[in-house]
Amino acid sequence: MDFTFSEEQQAAAEAAAGVFADVKPDSVPSPADTTGAVAEDFDRALWARLAEADLLSLLIDEAYGGAGLDAIALCLVLRESAKVLARVPLLESSAAAATVQAYGGEELRSALLARAGRGDLVLTVAANGRTGHDPAELAVTARRDGDRWVLDGGADGRAVGVRRGPGRRTGAHGRRPDRPRAGRPGPRRRRPRGADLDDG
């Protein structure tokens, strides 16, 4: 078994090292010291440099202007990002783009993926609290509402609607959120703070 990185993976890591070379870790503010949502304060100039180096489109298929690489290439780029504490939502945006690519309809993929790869659009994911690492009791849960899924909970108490295309799977590994794997607890239905929803 060969565990060496491919030329494409190594090229992505080298490009990332070049982009992050000028970032000084001491100048990066800690999310713990930041008021408000962390996402409001990311380094947009660095984000533009990542887009210019084609590092925002690593996982996106070539049909949508991406590199069509694998998660290993992304991990190598994330490792370079971590070395300098880069304040960019690279993991979140890449994960959201991969999800849209895998589960979104053609119309959604065409509308979002190329723009995300160019850096014109920042995709993100619903996370717990301000940093995404808050305790489990603040978790986001999913419930069906007609032809939509509604995510409830989180530290800020917002409810977010998620559309599901016809014939498309919704949950991780193809499971719907209301049908957990055998032996694992399913999502809890919980009313968000300050929201008046019918649990019907």
Side-chain angles (χ1 to χ4, degrees), residues 92-108:
E92 297 85 351
S93 188
S94 297
T99 302
V100 167
Q101 184 167 272
Y103 299 105
E106 181 57 36
E107 183 179 348
L108 184 64

Side-chain angles (χ1 to χ4, degrees), residues 82-158:
K83 288 178 183 177
V84 297
L85 304 175
R87 197 163 174 80
V88 290
L90 185 56
L91 173 61
E92 297 85 351
S93 188
S94 297
T99 302
V100 167
Q101 184 167 272
Y103 299 105
E106 181 57 36
E107 183 179 348
L108 184 64
R109 289 193 301 261
S110 295
L112 299 182
L113 294 178
R115 292 176 58 210
R118 290 190 308 264
D120 298 338
L121 178 69
V122 179
L123 300 178
T124 192
V125 296
N128 300 336
R130 227 171 42 83
T131 65
H133 303 287
D134 288 341
E137 63 267 11
L138 300 177
V140 176
T141 59
R143 69 176 171 80
R144 192 105 160 122
D145 182 14
D147 66 343
R148 301 178 336 139
W149 286 96
V150 177
L151 304 179
D152 296 334
D156 61 6
R158 284 186 243 172

Side-chain angles (χ1 to χ4, degrees), residues 74-89:
L74 176 61
C75 287
L76 293 173
V77 172
L78 290 170
R79 181 177 68 178
E80 296 300 321
S81 166
K83 288 178 183 177
V84 297
L85 304 175
R87 197 163 174 80
V88 290

Side-chain angles (χ1 to χ4, degrees), residues 1-26:
M1 195 177 266
D2 185 8
F3 289 105
T4 57
F5 298 122
S6 70
E7 289 181 26
E8 293 85 3
Q9 292 167 339
Q10 290 173 348
E14 290 169 10
V19 169
F20 294 122
D22 296 334
V23 178
K24 306 292 182 233
D26 292 343

